[in-house]
Amino acid sequence: MAFELTPERLAIFEELLPKYPTKQALSIPLLHICQEQLGHISAEVIEYVAKKLALSTADVKGVVTFYTLFQQKPVGRNVVWVCRTLSCELMGARSIKDALEQKLGCHVGETTRDGEFTVLEAECLAACGAGPMMQLNDEYFENLTPEKLDDILDAARRKKDAGCAATFSPIGIRARKEQ
Amino acid sequence: MPVENPRILTKNYDTPNSWTLATYEASGGYKALRKSIAMGPAAIRDEVKAANLRGRGGAGFAAGLKWSFLKTHPEKPNYIAVNADEGEPGTFKDRTLMEKDPHRCVEGFIIAAYALDVHTVYVYIRGELVLAIKRIEQAVREARARGYLGSKILDQDFKLDIVVHAGAGAYICGEETSLLNSLEGLRGEPRLKPPFPAVVGAFGAPTIVNNLETLAAVPSIIELGGEAFSKLSRLHHLKDGGVRLYGISGHVNRPGVYEAPVGITLRELIDDLGGGVRTGHTLKAVIPGGSSTPVLRESDTVHAPDEKHPMHAWHGKSHLDVPMGVDTMRGLGTMLGTCCAIVMDETTSMVRVAENLMVFYAHESCGQCTPCREGCAWMARLCHKFADGSATTVDLDTLADVANNIIGNTICALGDGAAMPMLGILKLFRNEFEAAIGKPTPLLGLKVA
Ligand SMILES: Cc1cc2nc3c(=O)[nH]c(=O)nc-3n(C[C@H](O)[C@H](O)[C@H](O)COP(=O)(O)O)c2cc1C
Ligand code: SF4
Ligand code: FES
């Protein structure tokens, strides 16, 4: 099925368009907006973006595969990125990763059977003074201990956000709504 | 000497709703913009030169000098690209500015744009930093509504728009030419230099790329005057001026971001600002300014008996007691980098530290240059072998060889930024790698008594 942005999201794209001298510059913003709607970047999204920006699908695919925030396959309703880099690891990041895997019953890179959570490792998220830390959707959770995880995961399970397949996006209606 | 507590960049950090226009204006915000417009572009550029403002993004290049390289094109506009891609492991200072005082950033962008005849500023913010992106966008909207942005700024014949551009997850996009490619909608692969961005930058047009903190210092430079700002530094005489943000993380009692003059020592950063190495433990090593800067030890001292040697003033002193400046840290064989230190106590295995960092670089290499792409992955594999106990003596030489073959052989500085800290760890802690042959090394971050 062909992919189309909802009118509300299309309006965000159209507002951004004149701010750049080329259409191609919209690649990353438009992919973010599409991902917010669908939850990941499908082949149809790539075709849609290519058409909108007058690019080849190879150009768009090249961009999608370069950047870690673009999900190339469907992910859970919530995405957890646990920081593995040095400052966090010194403070016990491995115990947080292990606890997440154990509590959710899936490994890094996988999604829980109920589709609620995908667990991923992140490189330094610029919160090094508050390690170990993780990003859950678009929120940071800092100075973590394995014990703190239960409440955080429960709250995420309960939170439902209609209209957004993805619970993370730096650009889109979700980011606007909360302003 | 107690560390001065200037509260210039962090003036509003503790104020409620510090990110709003009302708070910023109540603290004197946007007065520097009015003053700038009265001064005119050339006078602003002179003040920035006099401020001895060294870039806060890692390389420490003088901002005033960089601005003077902007080469106007007959048909293309000038641009500013703000580097807010903060991704260097251990670094978390720019995020605090964006989240806590976005208007200071925005005012800095506007003044810089006025000084450089720029009508579009692109702010490239790391995509993960959703709150920072929201705060800067909100500040831009508030500033526009107030007439600080738009088609007739403060009723002058000066128009400016600030465009927030979110990245999508790639450390390499912090490298300035990779950032420009990413902004143009391409893969974030660095470009060969020259041409430098000041000549051919974003969309083929002349572009000044500055770190976010560099530009956030500009309103204070205008407010205080360039020379007065520079003199806040303890290294004013070395043309390394002003105040800056320091970060400290790892095994200290009070990790965080602190403001202090340029030129405090690592010991002051660790003990006075960071509250000392975590209680009950002793310092083993410190990475001074982000993961690409080679590690230092307290027991190493400066050897510069010759009076003409630039490091002579610190002859015989511990590396921890040398002021942190762009040139002084280079004199120690490391770099000032982002000024965000990572502290490691005696429980830390340097084999595991190397492993952690090399995995990072192997993951983040963009893959354009063979020495970097293959070399970083190879260093990571060798570090894994040392960590799990399967390495042999030959691997020790190979590790150094691989690192040495990266240096100087790549398009951008990521390759060197991986090889230099690897060589630094090998030089100071070779014994730990030797001891790890045939014996697995415990993981980092395990609970210690
Ligand atoms: C691999 C790599 C990553 C970098 N990441 C950043 C970054 O996240 N933020 C930044 O300001 N500069 C970063 N830099 C430095 C930039 O290339 C550039 O020097 C800087 O943005 C210039 O601004 P400044 O002169 O104001 O410091 C990086 C450099 C390299 C080689
Ligand atoms: S040095 Fe590494 S990151 Fe830089 S351009 Fe070459 S391969 Fe890419
Ligand atoms: S190392 Fe984890 S946030 Fe920087």
Side-chain angles (χ1 to χ4, degrees), chain B residues 45 48-49 53-72 79-83 116 174-177 180 193 196-199 206-212 214-215:
Chain B
R45 294 195 301 265
V48 171
K49 265 191 205 140
L53 175 65
R54 308 285 285 259
R56 307 307 196 214
F61 197 82
L65 188 60
K66 183 186 285 190
W67 287 14
S68 74
F69 294 154
L70 185 73
K71 195 163 179 290
T72 305
Y79 292 118
I80 291 175
V82 182
N83 193 339
L116 296 168
E175 194 281 336
E176 56 185 13
T177 61
L180 296 172
K193 291 187 272 193
F196 288 92
V199 182
T207 304
I208 293 295
V209 184
N210 269 135
N211 169 262
L212 176 108
T214 309
L215 294 177

Coordinates of all heavy atoms in Angstrom, one line a residue, chain B residues 45 48-49 53-72 79-83 116 174-177 180 193 196-199 206-212 214-215:
Chain B
R45 N 33.2 42.0 15.1 CA 34.2 41.0 14.8 C 35.5 41.3 15.5 O 36.2 40.4 16.0 CB 34.5 41.0 13.3 CG 33.2 40.5 12.5 CD 33.6 40.1 11.0 NE 34.1 41.3 10.3 CZ 33.4 42.1 9.5 NH1 32.1 41.9 9.4 NH2 34.0 43.1 8.9
V48 N 35.2 40.0 19.1 CA 35.4 38.6 19.2 C 36.8 38.2 19.0 O 37.3 37.3 19.7 CB 34.5 37.9 18.1 CG1 34.8 36.4 18.0 CG2 33.0 38.1 18.5
K49 N 37.6 38.9 18.2 CA 39.0 38.7 18.0 C 39.7 39.0 19.4 O 40.5 38.2 19.9 CB 39.6 39.6 16.9 CG 39.7 38.9 15.6 CD 40.5 39.7 14.6 CE 40.1 39.3 13.2 NZ 40.0 40.4 12.3
L53 N 38.6 34.0 21.8 CA 37.6 32.9 22.0 C 38.1 31.8 21.1 O 38.1 31.9 19.9 CB 36.2 33.4 21.5 CG 35.1 32.4 21.5 CD1 34.8 31.9 22.9 CD2 33.9 33.1 20.8
R54 N 38.5 30.7 21.8 CA 38.9 29.5 21.0 C 37.7 28.6 20.9 O 37.0 28.4 21.9 CB 40.0 28.8 21.8 CG 41.2 29.7 22.1 CD 42.1 30.1 20.9 NE 42.9 29.0 20.5 CZ 44.2 28.9 20.8 NH1 44.8 29.9 21.5 NH2 44.9 27.9 20.4
G55 N 37.5 28.0 19.8 CA 36.4 27.1 19.5 C 36.2 26.1 20.6 O 37.1 25.5 21.0
R56 N 34.9 26.0 21.0 CA 34.6 25.0 22.1 C 34.2 23.6 21.6 O 33.8 22.8 22.4 CB 33.4 25.6 22.9 CG 33.6 27.0 23.5 CD 34.9 27.2 24.2 NE 34.9 28.4 25.1 CZ 35.9 29.2 25.3 NH1 37.1 29.0 24.8 NH2 35.8 30.3 26.1
G57 N 34.4 23.4 20.3 CA 33.9 22.1 19.7 C 35.0 21.0 19.8 O 34.7 19.9 19.5
G58 N 36.2 21.4 20.1 CA 37.2 20.3 20.2 C 38.6 20.7 19.7 O 39.6 20.4 20.2
A59 N 38.6 21.4 18.5 CA 39.9 21.7 17.9 C 40.5 23.0 18.5 O 41.7 23.2 18.3 CB 39.7 21.8 16.4
G60 N 39.7 23.9 19.1 CA 40.2 25.0 19.7 C 40.7 26.1 18.8 O 41.5 27.0 19.2
F61 N 40.2 26.2 17.6 CA 40.6 27.2 16.6 C 40.0 28.6 17.0 O 38.9 28.6 17.5 CB 40.1 26.8 15.2 CG 40.8 27.5 14.1 CD1 42.0 27.1 13.7 CD2 40.2 28.7 13.6 CE1 42.6 27.8 12.7 CE2 40.8 29.4 12.6 CZ 42.1 28.9 12.1
A62 N 40.8 29.6 16.9 CA 40.3 31.0 17.3 C 39.1 31.4 16.4 O 39.2 31.5 15.2 CB 41.5 31.9 17.1
A63 N 38.0 31.7 17.1 CA 36.8 32.0 16.4 C 36.9 33.3 15.6 O 36.5 33.4 14.4 CB 35.6 32.2 17.4
G64 N 37.6 34.3 16.1 CA 37.8 35.6 15.4 C 38.5 35.4 14.1 O 38.2 35.9 13.1
L65 N 39.5 34.5 14.2 CA 40.3 34.2 13.0 C 39.5 33.5 11.9 O 39.5 33.8 10.8 CB 41.6 33.4 13.4 CG 42.6 33.2 12.3 CD1 43.2 34.6 11.8 CD2 43.8 32.4 12.8
K66 N 38.8 32.5 12.4 CA 37.9 31.7 11.5 C 36.9 32.6 10.8 O 36.7 32.5 9.6 CB 37.2 30.6 12.3 CG 36.3 29.7 11.4 CD 35.4 28.7 12.1 CE 36.2 27.6 12.7 NZ 35.3 26.5 13.2
W67 N 36.3 33.5 11.6 CA 35.4 34.4 11.0 C 36.0 35.3 9.9 O 35.4 35.6 8.9 CB 34.8 35.4 12.0 CG 33.8 34.7 13.0 CD1 33.6 33.4 13.1 CD2 32.9 35.3 13.9 NE1 32.6 33.1 14.1 CE2 32.2 34.3 14.5 CE3 32.6 36.7 14.2 CZ2 31.2 34.6 15.5 CZ3 31.7 37.0 15.1 CH2 31.0 35.9 15.8
S68 N 37.3 35.6 10.0 CA 38.0 36.4 9.0 C 38.2 35.7 7.7 O 38.5 36.3 6.7 CB 39.3 37.0 9.6 OG 40.3 36.0 9.7
F69 N 38.1 34.4 7.8 CA 38.3 33.6 6.6 C 37.1 33.5 5.7 O 37.1 32.9 4.6 CB 38.8 32.1 6.9 CG 40.1 32.0 7.6 CD1 40.4 31.0 8.4 CD2 41.1 33.0 7.3 CE1 41.7 30.9 9.0 CE2 42.3 32.9 7.9 CZ 42.6 31.9 8.8
L70 N 36.0 34.0 6.2 CA 34.7 33.8 5.4 C 34.9 34.6 4.1 O 35.2 35.8 4.0 CB 33.5 34.5 6.2 CG 32.2 34.3 5.5 CD1 31.7 32.9 5.6 CD2 31.2 35.2 6.2
K71 N 34.7 33.8 3.0 CA 35.0 34.4 1.7 C 33.7 34.6 0.9 O 33.1 33.6 0.4 CB 35.9 33.5 0.9 CG 36.6 34.1 -0.3 CD 37.8 33.3 -0.8 CE 38.4 33.9 -2.0 NZ 37.6 33.8 -3.2
T72 N 33.2 35.8 0.9 CA 31.9 36.0 0.3 C 31.9 35.7 -1.2 O 32.9 35.9 -1.9 CB 31.5 37.5 0.5 OG1 31.6 37.8 1.9 CG2 30.2 37.9 0.0
Y79 N 26.4 31.6 5.1 CA 25.6 30.9 6.1 C 26.4 30.7 7.4 O 27.6 30.7 7.4 CB 25.2 29.4 5.6 CG 24.2 29.4 4.5 CD1 24.6 28.8 3.3 CD2 22.9 29.8 4.6 CE1 23.7 28.7 2.2 CE2 22.0 29.7 3.6 CZ 22.4 29.2 2.4 OH 21.5 29.1 1.3
I80 N 25.7 30.5 8.5 CA 26.3 30.0 9.7 C 25.7 28.6 9.9 O 24.4 28.4 9.8 CB 26.0 30.9 10.9 CG1 26.8 32.2 10.8 CG2 26.5 30.2 12.2 CD1 26.5 33.2 11.9
A81 N 26.5 27.6 10.2 CA 26.0 26.3 10.6 C 26.4 26.1 12.1 O 27.6 26.1 12.3 CB 26.5 25.2 9.7
V82 N 25.5 26.0 13.0 CA 25.8 25.8 14.4 C 26.0 24.3 14.7 O 25.1 23.5 14.3 CB 24.7 26.4 15.3 CG1 25.1 26.2 16.8 CG2 24.4 27.8 15.0
N83 N 27.1 24.0 15.2 CA 27.3 22.6 15.5 C 26.8 22.2 16.9 O 27.5 22.5 17.9 CB 28.8 22.3 15.4 CG 29.2 20.8 15.3 OD1 28.3 20.0 15.8 ND2 30.3 20.5 14.8
L116 N 28.5 38.7 10.4 CA 29.0 38.0 9.2 C 28.1 38.2 8.0 O 28.3 37.4 7.0 CB 29.2 36.6 9.6 CG 30.3 36.3 10.7 CD1 30.2 34.9 11.2 CD2 31.7 36.6 10.2
G174 N 29.1 15.3 13.7 CA 29.7 16.5 14.4 C 31.0 17.0 13.7 O 31.4 18.2 13.9
E175 N 31.6 16.2 12.9 CA 32.7 16.7 12.1 C 32.1 17.7 11.1 O 31.1 17.4 10.4 CB 33.4 15.5 11.4 CG 34.8 15.9 10.8 CD 34.7 16.6 9.5 OE1 33.7 16.5 8.7 OE2 35.7 17.3 9.2
E176 N 32.8 18.9 10.9 CA 32.1 20.0 10.3 C 31.7 19.8 8.8 O 30.6 20.2 8.4 CB 32.9 21.3 10.4 CG 34.3 21.2 9.9 CD 35.1 22.4 10.1 OE1 34.7 23.3 10.9 OE2 36.2 22.5 9.5
T177 N 32.5 19.1 8.1 CA 32.1 18.9 6.7 C 31.1 17.7 6.5 O 30.2 17.8 5.6 CB 33.3 18.6 5.8 OG1 34.0 17.4 6.2 CG2 34.3 19.7 5.8
L180 N 27.8 19.3 7.2 CA 27.3 20.1 6.0 C 26.7 19.1 5.0 O 25.6 19.4 4.5 CB 28.4 20.9 5.3 CG 29.0 22.0 6.2 CD1 30.3 22.6 5.5 CD2 28.0 23.1 6.5
K193 N 39.3 18.5 2.7 CA 39.6 19.9 2.8 C 41.0 20.2 2.3 O 41.9 19.4 2.6 CB 39.5 20.4 4.3 CG 38.1 20.3 4.8 CD 38.0 20.9 6.2 CE 38.2 19.9 7.3 NZ 37.8 20.3 8.6
F196 N 37.8 24.8 2.4 CA 37.3 24.9 3.8 C 35.9 25.4 3.7 O 35.5 26.2 2.8 CB 38.2 25.7 4.7 CG 39.5 25.0 5.0 CD1 40.6 25.2 4.2 CD2 39.6 24.1 6.1 CE1 41.8 24.5 4.5 CE2 40.7 23.5 6.3 CZ 41.8 23.7 5.5
P197 N 35.1 25.1 4.7 CA 33.7 25.6 4.7 C 33.5 27.1 4.6 O 32.6 27.5 4.0 CB 33.1 25.1 6.1 CG 34.0 23.9 6.4 CD 35.3 24.2 5.9
A198 N 34.5 27.8 5.1 CA 34.4 29.3 5.0 C 34.4 29.8 3.6 O 34.0 30.9 3.3 CB 35.5 30.0 5.8
V199 N 34.9 28.9 2.7 CA 34.9 29.2 1.2 C 33.8 28.5 0.5 O 33.0 29.1 -0.2 CB 36.3 28.9 0.6 CG1 36.3 29.3 -0.8 CG2 37.4 29.6 1.4
P206 N 29.7 30.0 1.1 CA 30.6 30.2 2.2 C 29.8 30.1 3.6 O 28.8 30.7 3.8 CB 31.1 31.6 2.0 CG 30.3 32.3 1.0 CD 29.6 31.2 0.2
T207 N 30.4 29.3 4.5 CA 29.7 28.9 5.7 C 30.7 28.9 6.9 O 31.8 28.4 6.8 CB 29.1 27.5 5.6 OG1 28.3 27.5 4.4 CG2 28.3 27.1 6.8
I208 N 30.3 29.6 8.0 CA 31.1 29.5 9.2 C 30.4 28.4 10.1 O 29.2 28.4 10.4 CB 31.1 30.8 10.0 CG1 31.9 31.9 9.2 CG2 31.7 30.6 11.4 CD1 33.3 31.6 9.0
V209 N 31.2 27.4 10.4 CA 30.7 26.3 11.3 C 31.3 26.6 12.7 O 32.5 26.6 12.8 CB 31.1 24.9 10.8 CG1 30.5 23.8 11.7 CG2 30.7 24.7 9.4
N210 N 30.5 26.8 13.6 CA 31.0 27.0 15.0 C 30.2 26.1 16.0 O 29.0 25.8 15.8 CB 30.8 28.4 15.5 CG 32.0 29.3 15.2 OD1 31.8 30.5 14.7 ND2 33.2 28.9 15.5
N211 N 30.9 25.7 17.0 CA 30.2 24.9 18.1 C 29.2 25.8 18.8 O 29.4 27.0 18.8 CB 31.3 24.5 19.1 CG 30.8 23.9 20.3 OD1 30.7 24.6 21.3 ND2 30.3 22.7 20.3
L212 N 28.2 25.2 19.3 CA 27.1 26.0 20.0 C 27.6 26.8 21.1 O 27.3 28.0 21.3 CB 26.1 25.0 20.5 CG 24.9 25.6 21.3 CD1 23.6 25.6 20.5 CD2 24.7 25.0 22.6
T214 N 30.6 28.0 21.6 CA 31.4 29.1 21.0 C 30.5 30.3 20.8 O 30.8 31.5 21.2 CB 32.1 28.7 19.7 OG1 32.8 27.5 19.9 CG2 33.0 29.8 19.2
L215 N 29.3 30.1 20.1 CA 28.4 31.2 19.8 C 27.7 31.7 21.0 O 27.3 32.9 21.1 CB 27.5 30.8 18.7 CG 28.2 30.5 17.3 CD1 27.2 30.0 16.3 CD2 29.0 31.7 16.8

